[in-house]
Amino acid sequence: MSSLQQSVVLVKPDALQRGLVGEIVSRFERKGLKLAAIKMLILSDEILDQWYAHHKEKPFFGNLKKFMQSAPVIAMVWEGLEAIGTVRKLCGVTTGYEAEAGSIRGDLSLSGQHNIIHASDSVKAAEKEKQLIFDADELFDYDKGEYLWVYSVEERE
Ligand code: CMP
C-alpha cells in the first residue's frame, strides 16, 4: 500500500553557485510532486550539527560544514505518494561520479561532497529535518489541480 509522504530537499551551495536551482526544481515538478514549502537560508551551526549528527565523527565533517555554509541553500518540502523513495531515485546515489545518468547527481555532479542536493532518507529523518528548517506557517497544504492527471482515482482516495 502506498502512502503520502513528504521529503525535505536541500539544493546545496554548489548547485546555487552553478545556476542549477531552476533545473532541479523543474525535475521535481515534472515528476508530479507537490511543492509544500520553499525557502532560502544560510544553515546555522546548530542546524548542521543536528542535521549531520550521524557524520560528526567522520574526517570530512569539518569541511562538509564549511561547504554547506559557503552560500545559502534552497530548502524545500516535496509531497507525493512514496515521496521519500521517489525523490531519492530522482537524486541518484550520493557520489556524483557513481550516480546513474538521468538522475540529478548523475547528470550534474562529479563529486562526493559537492553532490548538488540532499534528500531525506526516511520518514523519521524528514520529520526531523522539517522541524529544523521550517516554521509551521511555512508549510502549505493546497489542492493541486494536476493531481487529477498525476494519480488515478484510487490513488487520490
Ligand atoms: P548527503 O548524502 O546529502 O549528506 C551527507 C553529505 O556528506 C553528503 O551528501 C556529501 O555532501 C558529504 N559526504 C559524504 N561522503 C563524503 C566523503 N567521503 N567525503 C566528503 N564528503 C562526503
Side-chain angles (χ1 to χ4, degrees):
M1 193 38 197
S2 54
S3 61
L4 193 66
Q5 297 174 343
Q6 290 189 327
S7 174
V8 180
V9 166
L10 297 180
V11 177
K12 294 184 178 180
D14 55 330
L16 181 67
Q17 296 286 10
R18 291 174 55 200
L20 296 173
V21 177
E23 161 86 30
I24 292 165
V25 169
S26 156
R27 289 186 183 219
F28 294 121
E29 285 186 317
R30 277 156 50 203
K31 180 70 174 170
L33 290 156
K34 174 176 159 180
L35 186 59
I38 183 165
K39 77 174 182 187
M40 189 175 194
L41 74 161
I42 295 194
L43 295 170
S44 64
D45 280 335
E46 294 71 32
I47 291 178
L48 279 171
D49 286 343
Q50 293 185 63
W51 194 281
Y52 286 134
H54 52 299
H55 287 308
K56 214 154 188 176
E57 307 307 323
K58 303 262 173 68
F60 59 80
F61 182 68
N63 280 337
L64 175 61
K65 266 183 80 172
K66 272 191 209 143
F67 161 58
M68 291 298 289
Q69 292 179 316
S70 63
V73 297
I74 313 296
M76 301 179 280
V77 176
W78 288 97
E79 182 179 300
L81 283 185
E82 300 299 312
I84 301 279
T86 300
V87 166
R88 285 182 76 81
K89 269 188 211 136
L90 290 174
C91 290
V93 298
T94 302
T95 305
Y97 55 78
E98 290 173 352
E100 313 79 350
S103 66
I104 291 168
R105 289 171 175 147
D107 288 350
L108 304 173
S109 166
L110 277 169
S111 168
Q113 184 171 93
H114 291 197
N115 62 351
I116 303 284
I117 194 160
H118 164 90
S120 309
D121 64 8
S122 65
V123 173
K124 197 172 158 212
E127 282 311 309
K128 172 183 155 182
E129 291 165 2
K130 234 188 297 178
Q131 282 173 20
L132 282 172
I133 300 255
F134 296 100
D135 296 329
D137 64 358
E138 293 174 325
L139 293 155
F140 293 88
D141 191 17
Y142 56 96
D143 287 331
K144 195 164 197 287
E146 188 196 49
Y147 268 15
L148 290 174
W149 307 105
V150 172
Y151 297 117
S152 69
V153 173
E154 294 80 11
E155 286 168 336
R156 276 186 270 126
E157 280 169 359

